[in-house]
Amino acid sequence: MEDMERYLQTIENEEHRMCLRQIFDWIIKTFTSLEYKTLWKQPMFLEHGTFIIGFSASNKHFSVSPEEKGMEQFSKKIKEAGYTQSKNLFRIKWDEPVNFFLLEQIINYNRIDKANDTAFWRK
């Protein structure tokens, strides 16, 4: 997981770094078929070469990107969780609890929906 550690070391705030490390470790343990990659300076998880979920860190929050279709499918649940969102991603403030059940649902949805995809992004 050298690639992951290199990315995490770019996050200056140690608490923020630890938060993402916890999430990434949880994903790796929960979804053993997913592969971690840092692409375009962003951490993401792939399955059979196709994008499943991605993250990005900023000063006030981190963003979670399940692609637009994933956002459409879970928009209501994301709002109910108290997270702000756009068309392609939702934001979790560093001091907010992470809804792991919601993340699990989103990841499972993308894995099933993209099971036969060969392209990186949805078409």
Side-chain angles (χ1 to χ4, degrees):
M1 288 288 139
E2 248 179 74
D3 193 29
M4 181 188 303
E5 280 306 313
R6 267 195 305 275
Y7 172 78
L8 289 170
Q9 290 307 313
T10 67
I11 301 171
E12 291 181 23
N13 184 305
E14 187 174 347
E15 289 179 24
H16 298 175
R17 187 178 330 120
M18 294 304 293
C19 177
L20 281 183
R21 179 175 281 122
Q22 177 189 17
I23 294 166
F24 295 170
D25 286 347
W26 172 82
I27 291 172
I28 290 166
K29 288 175 185 157
T30 306
F31 301 96
T32 57
S33 63
L34 294 186
E35 175 187 12
Y36 174 90
K37 291 272 190 183
T38 302
L39 301 170
W40 302 286
K41 298 183 182 181
Q42 301 298 314
M44 52 188 70
F45 290 87
L46 316 178
E47 189 167 54
H48 59 78
T50 189
F51 176 88
I52 300 298
I53 195 162
F55 297 83
S56 63
S58 72
N59 289 333
K60 296 183 181 181
H61 65 270
F62 64 92
S63 298
V64 182
S65 175
E67 287 188 282
E68 187 175 342
K69 188 171 181 186
M71 287 300 300
E72 290 170 0
Q73 183 72 23
F74 290 94
S75 180
K76 183 178 177 188
K77 289 183 179 185
I78 291 166
K79 185 177 182 177
E80 288 170 356
Y83 304 140
T84 61
Q85 59 187 300
S86 69
K87 186 176 179 180
N88 293 311
L89 58 83
F90 63 99
R91 298 165 206 88
I92 301 175
K93 293 178 184 174
W94 292 113
D95 61 354
E96 287 182 306
V98 175
N99 186 329
F100 284 95
F101 181 68
L102 177 59
L103 282 179
E104 184 174 12
Q105 289 179 308
I106 291 169
I107 293 169
N108 276 326
Y109 172 79
N110 276 343
R111 291 180 65 228
I112 291 166
D113 190 61
K114 298 181 80 176
N116 297 316
D117 284 6
T118 56
F120 187 80
W121 304 111
R122 283 183 175 96
K123 295 180 183 187

